[in-house]
Amino acid sequence: MQFTLQAGQHRYFALQRTRLGEPLPGAYAQDQIAAGLATTTASWQEWSSIHQSYDGPWRELVHHSGRVLQALSYQPTGAIVAAATTSLPEEIGGERNWDYRYAWVRDASFTMKALWVAACPDEAHEFFDFMTAAAAHSNPDRHLQIMFGIGGEHDLSERLLPQLKGWRGSAPVRVGNGAWDQPQLDVYGELLDAAFRLRGQLGDIEPATRTFLIALADAAASQWQQPDNGIWEIRGAPRHFLYSKLMCWVALDRAIALADQLNATDRITEWSAMAARIRAAILEKGWNEEAAAFTQSFDSPELDASSLMMSVVGFLPASDPRMLATVDAIIDRLTDSRGLVYRYQTDTGVDGLHGNEGTFLLCTFWLAQVLADAGRCGEAREVFERAVGHVNNVGLLAEEVDSETGEQLGNFPQAFSHVGLINAAWAIQQAESGYAANERTPPENEH
């Protein structure tokens, strides 16, 4: 059907869904669709006016990113999906095409902070409740599952849809995500860090939740020396990834801080001793003299942007000479001509996949955040502005950016990118206000 609209005219469309065997629904009239759209718009405007009070730099971008995270949430359970799409490629014509329509445990900690900064405390609490409920029902005899369906589903087995060509010929198209069953040790730290961020609201933690959180700390203590698939969910051989060890340290550090609420003060001595062992191992094996930086995995010279998280989680201050050297190494050797940051160099073969990928927006925001924490606020602003320069005309970010063309790549809109934007903006605002990273008022206390 073709038609022509003149200035001031409108034509409304609505998509309806029915199950096989059910009667077809009647078509909506134009005024019904218009009324539904007006109600939806008014509801979003009301939500924004109630929930969003952040008043720092890039206010509109931060507020819009908060709305994106809300839009990516599934109201019946509180789950927040990583993205709303599947199989949009990280390289046009490549095979790095994944299904992101699930809720990752890893996102929990990052999203908690972002939702608080964007002044959405209810949504933060709902997401934490979803994550702890879904994760608590995992098999206790195996590693903690890293992601769940939006209804708490556990089996996310991956399959290919060969009848579909993929976006711009980028096959395969996938449903499900094969990483769901990978061992990824960082999830213990992410869940406990999320609990730590919500400590003021948790109050008297229910016995079942206390038992679960204590078990997470114990799992981190007992498993931290094992290799795993890491934050980037490599499909190659497991390795001793620095980030995984770091987040096991975070798990114990946050469990110690929560010990009173967990009724676990008797575990502090044991947890502290193990946290000290992990810390010593990271400082010894995670630092590489050849790279003059903290690197991707123990005894490896390969850089990885996730090492920036060492200062974000409080393992080392951003002003530590080793962190400053790592930041400079990443700027020098892990950025493209646009100044955006790669996760790691894909030509090392570590991830077991063919082809390349774009620069990672989340990692670029991490760099801005750490630069701000180190007092290099001018550089932080420059990095931040380079990243948000890729926001599209409706304020959305994908996962990656094509280094050649500047085109957005990967699933879209990407929660991680908007989480990174919010957290980096807040870090820059706090640094410019004169607060050291370890002196800042947690966002949850500001609203």
Side-chain angles (χ1 to χ4, degrees):
M1 178 176 63
Q2 295 183 350
F3 54 89
T4 302
L5 292 179
Q6 303 298 326
Q9 292 182 322
H10 300 84
R11 184 68 63 91
Y12 297 97
F13 296 88
L15 181 67
Q16 298 188 67
R17 172 181 176 271
T18 185
R19 296 182 183 276
L20 186 65
E22 293 180 349
L24 294 177
Y28 285 116
Q30 286 287 290
D31 59 348
Q32 289 177 300
I33 302 174
L37 181 61
T39 299
T40 299
T41 301
S43 296
W44 274 102
Q45 290 171 340
E46 181 181 3
W47 181 89
S48 295
S49 66
I50 293 173
H51 287 78
Q52 300 192 289
S53 59
Y54 171 83
D55 198 28
W58 306 287
R59 179 176 180 271
E60 290 306 316
L61 283 172
V62 169
H63 284 187
H64 193 66
S65 291
R67 289 190 290 269
V68 171
L69 295 178
Q70 169 70 354
L72 289 171
S73 67
Y74 180 58
Q75 190 173 19
T77 63
I80 298 177
V81 297
T85 56
T86 180
S87 303
L88 293 182
E90 298 175 14
E91 179 184 37
I92 304 302
E95 67 173 14
R96 297 169 181 264
N97 317 318
W98 317 112
D99 189 352
Y100 276 13
R101 299 169 300 167
Y102 305 107
W104 265 254
V105 173
R106 176 174 303 113
D107 295 22
S109 176
F110 302 141
T111 305
M112 291 298 101
K113 182 176 179 181
L115 287 172
W116 274 113
V117 172
C120 311
D122 293 339
E123 288 72 16
H125 206 295
E126 289 167 2
F127 186 38
F128 178 75
D129 287 346
F130 165 78
M131 274 297 173
T132 53
H137 287 89
S138 295
N139 186 333
D141 297 325
R142 61 191 299 277
H143 57 267
L144 181 68
Q145 188 163 320
I146 66 159
M147 68 175 85
F148 303 93
I150 58 174
E153 299 88 352
H154 284 238
D155 187 348
L156 308 180
S157 297
E158 185 176 297
R159 66 185 188 277
L160 306 184
L161 303 181
Q163 73 273 23
L164 299 179
K165 294 181 179 180
W167 189 67
R168 291 169 62 178
S170 302
V173 174
R174 306 175 197 264
V175 173
N177 195 306
W180 74 275
D181 200 33
Q182 287 183 349
Q184 296 178 21
L185 302 181
D186 58 295
V187 293
Y188 302 121
E190 275 126 12
L191 268 177
L192 277 160
D193 192 50
F196 178 74
R197 292 192 183 282
L198 287 173
R199 62 194 182 280
Q201 275 195 317
L202 290 176
D204 293 329
I205 303 174
E206 295 180 357
T209 303
R210 287 203 306 268
T211 299
F212 173 62
L213 295 176
I214 291 170
L216 292 179
D218 288 340
S222 64
Q223 297 176 24
W224 73 272
Q225 297 183 76
Q226 299 175 10
D228 72 337
N229 294 85
I231 180 177
W232 307 129
E233 300 173 356
I234 63 159
R235 301 205 174 192
R239 297 174 65 177
H240 290 282
F241 289 101
L242 182 149
Y243 181 81
S244 298
K245 316 299 184 188
L246 172 68
M247 295 310 292
C248 286
W249 175 86
V250 168
L252 294 168
D253 181 77
R254 304 315 192 248
I256 293 166
L258 289 167
D260 284 338
Q261 284 177 275
L262 297 176
N263 291 344
T265 54
D266 59 319
R267 313 298 291 275
I268 290 178
T269 300
E270 179 183 346
W271 286 342
S272 297
M274 190 58 68
R277 285 185 59 190
I278 299 173
R279 182 181 184 84
I282 291 172
L283 294 176
E284 177 186 354
K285 295 179 177 294
W287 175 265
N288 186 273
E289 289 293 342
E290 177 185 347
F294 288 108
T295 53
Q296 184 177 72
S297 57
F298 281 6
D299 302 318
S300 166
E302 303 298 335
L303 294 176
D304 192 303
S306 64
S307 61
L308 293 168
M309 290 298 294
M310 296 177 72
S311 67
V312 174
V313 301
F315 183 87
L316 284 175
S319 58
D320 184 282
R322 293 162 293 185
M323 284 305 307
L324 293 174
T326 300
V327 167
D328 290 336
I330 287 172
I331 291 172
D332 291 341
R333 307 199 296 275
L334 209 60
T335 57
D336 68 356
S337 60
R338 300 170 185 273
L340 304 180
V341 181
Y342 292 102
R343 295 189 295 179
Y344 53 87
Q345 293 294 351
T346 54
D347 57 8
T348 62
V350 65
D351 58 17
L353 298 168
H354 298 292
N356 298 304
E357 61 183 27
T359 50
F360 227 69
L361 286 166
L362 173 66
C363 297
T364 305
F365 287 123
W366 281 349
L367 176 60
Q369 184 171 353
V370 175
L371 285 168
D373 289 346
R376 295 160 62 173
C377 294
E379 293 175 77
R381 276 185 167 268
E382 290 175 3
V383 172
F384 186 94
E385 291 286 357
R386 287 198 290 268
V388 299
H390 294 277
V391 170
N392 75 359
N393 62 318
V394 288
L396 300 179
L397 289 169
E399 183 177 40
E400 303 177 16
V401 172
D402 188 313
S403 295
E404 296 292 329
T405 67
E407 179 181 16
Q408 294 200 54
L409 294 171
N411 285 306
F412 176 88
Q414 178 79 10
F416 248 176
S417 297
H418 289 278
V419 164
L421 184 157
I422 293 170
N423 290 339
W426 184 75
I428 294 170
Q429 186 267 334
Q430 291 285 287
E432 290 179 340
S433 298
Y435 294 101
N438 62 350
E439 297 173 342
R440 296 175 189 166
T441 302
E444 59 263 39
N445 293 334
E446 294 181 350
H447 306 300

